[in-house]
Amino acid sequence: MANTALKTFSLTNDIIEVSPEDEIYRYNKDSQKKLDKEAPWSKDPKYFKKCRISAVALIKMVIHARSGVPYEIMGLMQGKVVGDAMVVMDSFALPVQGTETRVNAANEANEYMVQYIQGSEKVSRLENAVGWYHSHPGYGCWLSGIDVSTQMNNQKYTDPFVAVVIDPNRTISAGKVDIGAFRTYPENYKPEGGSSSEYQSIPLSKIEDFGVHADQYYPLEVEIFKSSLDTELLGLLWNKYWVNTLSQSPLISNREYAVSQLNDLQLKLAKAQSTVASTRPVLPILKEDADATSKVLKDAKKKEDSQLTKSVRDSTKIAIEAQHGLISQVLKDVIFSIRPGADPTASLSRVDEVIETTTALS
């Protein structure tokens, strides 16, 4: 199952090259103990700013997430703290039976987790458990109410701890890993100015859960790094699976997700349409009620524009993903279907045309 998942996955996120000495892989036990004793994250709710993840650990998480579709999966991450960054060095899957909407660790998973960490200590692996990851197949990277509760408990008893969410369906469609890292605020803590995050295309069935808990956590900047040895390992993996990657299309392997996106967009447009005010003659308004009525109309107009704007963004995102899938197929056909005796310059000109079209659409 892991091999099948890897065949449909290509790591195209920006990767930060580490120094030749691979300093990030050095582990200073004394400094880690000192940092744990000081625990600066307990004084500042937003102490951690970044989550740096090893490329190999990321591949393991994405393969695990893809193998569980359409169900959620769950795993644990090992690493350390470096300054204001949570550094994930490795990850491992947990024997958790998830559903299409939630995943939670039971006693069996907790026992497996403890045994795995104890086994790591026996073979002189110094990294601690620094977080957990799970998947949201097709509905984006954020924390639900259950996820917030789980992360709050983890930060209460095993801090420092980070929650990572991966969307395997959007990863395939977008051509890069759709991932998010989050930390929750302490109980009864109110962030200044509320939460400010980039717009996400959330399915209609999940919007309420997404909005209710949005102020209880904040996102960390995610960076991917690799060592010189990881570079060799990734090269070997690419040499084995590049044919499968080129021969497959996200439009086919991920068509169920594409259909669900279109169905969700139709529901959102229908909901937006029902809220748009009909064009009826305006009744006369008393002068003293003019200001109050004007404010109500402005608020209603803003709500209408918001719903319609979000629907337009969703439709644009779906169209771009479909266009990229079609363009990749055209490029493959142009490059690999040159007939014997055909003029290669004609094929190159077709490639240039496709590239120009891609640039214009983006």
Side-chain angles (χ1 to χ4, degrees), residues 37-319:
K37 186 176 181 180
E38 295 174 354
W41 48 84
S42 63
K43 305 176 183 66
D44 182 4
K46 298 187 70 173
Y47 173 79
F48 291 107
K49 304 295 190 299
K50 297 180 180 180
C51 180
R52 307 190 66 187
I53 304 176
S54 162
V56 174
L58 179 64
I59 286 179
K60 291 170 67 176
M61 289 190 285
V62 174
I63 292 174
H64 184 203
R66 184 63 182 171
S67 68
V69 174
Y71 303 106
E72 292 190 11
I73 53 85
M74 182 178 178
L76 208 67
M77 303 180 297
Q78 294 175 286
K80 58 184 178 180
V81 175
V82 178
D84 62 353
M86 305 280 289
V87 181
V88 177
M89 311 298 293
D90 196 10
S91 63
F92 62 92
L94 290 177
V96 176
Q97 183 66 39
T99 68
E100 294 184 11
T101 57
R102 65 182 62 182
V103 64
N104 210 348
N107 292 333
E108 180 183 354
N110 292 328
E111 293 175 3
Y112 178 88
M113 190 187 313
V114 172
Q115 292 176 0
Y116 190 98
I117 295 175
Q118 290 177 345
S120 299
E121 294 174 352
K122 290 180 180 179
V123 295
S124 301
R125 292 199 59 174
L126 303 176
E127 294 88 357
N128 297 318
V130 294
W132 66 294
Y133 71 90
H134 72 289
S135 63
H136 280 181
Y139 47 97
C141 298
W142 47 280
L143 297 185
S144 66
I146 294 176
D147 300 336
V148 168
S149 177
T150 301
Q151 178 60 18
M152 279 185 173
N153 288 332
N154 288 330
Q155 289 184 207
K156 186 175 181 180
Y157 298 107
T158 58
D159 218 18
F161 223 73
V162 64
V164 168
V165 183
I166 296 174
D167 188 335
N169 291 349
R170 293 187 179 182
T171 293
I172 299 301
S173 293
K176 65 177 183 179
V177 181
D178 193 61
I179 186 172
F182 307 96
R183 292 264 300 173
T184 54
Y185 295 118
E187 293 183 30
N188 303 322
Y189 176 84
K190 298 294 182 182
E192 296 181 3
S195 61
S196 59
S197 58
E198 295 183 1
Y199 169 76
Q200 287 196 64
S201 177
I202 308 297
L204 194 60
S205 60
K206 301 287 184 179
I207 286 180
E208 184 177 354
D209 195 22
F210 170 76
V212 168
H213 306 283
D215 290 334
Q216 295 180 276
Y217 61 91
Y218 71 95
L220 279 67
E221 180 184 353
V222 177
E223 295 179 351
I224 312 301
F225 67 90
K226 62 179 180 178
S227 68
S228 54
L229 183 59
D230 291 341
T231 303
E232 297 295 329
L233 178 59
L234 293 173
L236 292 174
L237 287 173
W238 177 245
N239 289 338
K240 184 175 181 180
Y241 293 108
W242 70 271
V243 174
N244 299 41
T245 302
L246 288 176
S247 64
Q248 292 186 356
S249 169
L251 297 177
I252 298 175
S253 61
N254 216 27
R255 58 179 177 268
E256 291 184 6
Y257 167 68
V259 171
S260 67
Q261 289 286 92
L262 290 173
N263 182 57
D264 182 69
L265 177 61
Q266 183 269 330
L267 295 174
K268 289 179 179 177
L269 289 173
K271 183 178 180 180
Q273 182 184 19
S274 65
T275 60
V276 175
S278 60
T279 55
R280 295 178 180 176
V282 181
L283 297 175
I285 302 174
L286 297 176
K287 187 176 181 180
E288 56 269 20
D289 295 336
D291 293 339
T293 305
S294 176
K295 183 177 184 303
V296 171
L297 291 175
K298 286 181 180 179
D299 292 341
K301 179 64 176 175
K302 185 177 180 181
K303 184 178 180 181
E304 293 169 8
D305 292 342
S306 176
Q307 290 186 356
L308 290 173
T309 301
K310 290 179 179 179
S311 298
V312 170
R313 289 181 180 179
D314 288 348
S315 62
T316 302
K317 170 182 168 294
I318 295 171

Side-chain angles (χ1 to χ4, degrees), residues 330-345:
V330 173
L331 285 173
K332 292 174 187 177
D333 180 66
V334 171
I335 295 173
F336 298 105
S337 300
I338 299 177
R339 305 297 185 269
D343 185 6
T345 57

